[in-house]
Amino acid sequence: AQSVSQHNHHVILSEAASLELGCNYSYGGTVNLFWYVQYPGQHLQLLLKYFSGDPLVKGIKGFEAEFIKSKFSFNLRKPSVQWSDTAEYFCAVSFNDYKLSFGAGTTVTVRA
Amino acid sequence: DGGITQSPKYLFRKEGQNVTLSCEQNLNHDAMYWYRQDPGQGLRLIYYSQIVNDFQKGDIAEGYSVSREKKESFPLTVTSAQKNPTAFYLCASSPPLRGPSTDTQYFGPGTRLTVL
C-alpha cells in the first residue's frame, strides 16, 4: 500500500540552528511531492512542491527540499531557523491519483 | 478576496446528533476535499469530489456523508454512526483537473468539532 512517513514526531532546536525533516514514501511510480506548514492558529499552507525537473526545490520563508528518487525521499531543510518557524510540518504525496496522502506531521519548536 | 471558508470555527454537539460542516470556495476550483486531523496522525481523507454531482470515499468515510450540488460548496455531515467524531476538520480545494497545478490543494481554516 502507498504510504508516507515522517521520521520525527517532535523536533526542538535553538534559533539559528539548521533544520532537516525527513519524509519517505512507498510507491515506485510517478509522484508529486509537497510540504505544508501549519503555524499555531493558522491555516495549513503550502511551503513548497515538486512535480518535475530540478530535484532541489525552493519554497517560501527560506525552506528548500530535495527529491531523491532512489531513496523515495523528499526531505525539508532550512539552514538557519527562526522562532517564527515554530509550527507543525506535513509532508504530502500525490500518487498520480489527484489525492494527497499525508505523513503524521512533525512539530518543530524553535527556542529563542 | 478569494479563498476557502469553513464555518463555524468551533462546533459542539451532543452524542447521537448529526451535524453538518460548511465549506465554501470562490477560487473556481473543480475539486474539493474533506480531511480529518487528529494529533499524531496527520490528515486523513474522508471524502473528495472532482466535479459537481460526483464524489468518492476517501480512507475513512464511514460515518460521514457529503454532497456536491454546487461547484463552490462541499458540505460534510458527521452522522451519529461516526464512532469518534471529535476532531479538527479541514476542507481543501484544488485547481482544474489535468491542469499544471491539479494536485496542489489549498486549505480552509478548519472546524473543531467536539461531541459531548
Side-chain angles (χ1 to χ4, degrees):
Chain A
Q2 300 151 347
S3 64
V4 181
S5 61
Q6 291 183 237
H7 305 160
N8 309 98
H9 178 63
H10 194 180
V11 172
I12 302 172
L13 53 162
S14 300
E15 276 193 312
S18 64
L19 173 69
E20 180 159 0
L21 302 181
C23 174
N24 285 88
Y25 62 93
S26 59
Y27 181 64
T30 302
V31 293
N32 292 330
L33 301 155
F34 306 81
W35 276 96
Y36 283 86
V37 61
Q38 190 172 37
Y39 297 104
Q42 294 189 27
H43 295 205
L44 198 68
Q45 56 186 281
L46 182 67
L47 207 50
L48 48 78
K49 62 185 178 184
Y50 172 81
F51 283 7
S52 63
D54 188 344
L56 183 63
V57 293
K58 296 192 184 298
I60 60 172
K61 305 190 181 191
F63 285 91
E64 64 179 31
E66 185 176 13
F67 172 48
I68 303 179
K69 190 173 181 180
S70 60
K71 294 185 178 180
F72 302 95
S73 70
F74 190 54
N75 292 355
L76 180 71
R77 298 195 290 252
K78 185 169 184 178
S80 176
V81 295
Q82 301 172 317
W83 177 82
S84 58
D85 292 322
T86 294
E88 190 160 16
Y89 294 81
F90 294 94
C91 178
V93 181
S94 168
F95 299 106
N96 215 23
D97 58 359
Y98 306 115
K99 299 184 292 179
L100 290 183
S101 294
F102 283 82
T106 299
T107 301
V108 173
T109 302
V110 179
R111 292 182 172 156
Chain B
D1 190 20
I4 303 172
T5 56
Q6 292 185 244
S7 60
K9 188 173 181 180
Y10 298 97
L11 190 55
F12 296 88
R13 280 293 181 270
K14 291 183 179 178
E15 195 172 341
Q17 290 181 334
N18 291 355
V19 59
T20 297
L21 281 57
S22 166
C23 178
E24 305 277 332
Q25 55 99 359
N26 61 4
L27 300 167
N28 199 33
H29 286 173
D30 286 332
M32 297 186 73
Y33 308 81
W34 273 105
Y35 293 90
R36 171 184 171 134
Q37 185 179 5
D38 296 284
Q41 297 193 54
L43 279 70
R44 292 180 290 167
L45 183 64
I46 303 172
Y47 268 97
Y48 64 105
S49 166
Q50 293 181 332
I51 199 165
V52 174
N53 292 322
D54 188 42
F55 49 83
Q56 287 80 39
K57 292 181 179 179
D59 301 319
I60 55 164
E62 185 176 349
Y64 299 98
S65 66
V66 293
S67 62
R68 185 86 187 277
E69 297 175 1
K70 297 187 299 181
K71 187 175 185 177
E72 302 79 20
S73 178
F74 191 41
L76 173 74
T77 297
V78 184
T79 75
S80 56
Q82 167 50 232
K83 293 188 173 113
N84 186 20
T86 294
F88 189 53
Y89 290 88
L90 286 166
C91 178
S93 68
S94 62
L97 293 177
R98 287 175 281 281
S101 294
T102 292
D103 284 343
T104 304
Q105 293 184 18
Y106 299 87
F107 286 82
T111 293
R112 188 166 298 279
L113 173 65
T114 302
V115 176
L116 305 170

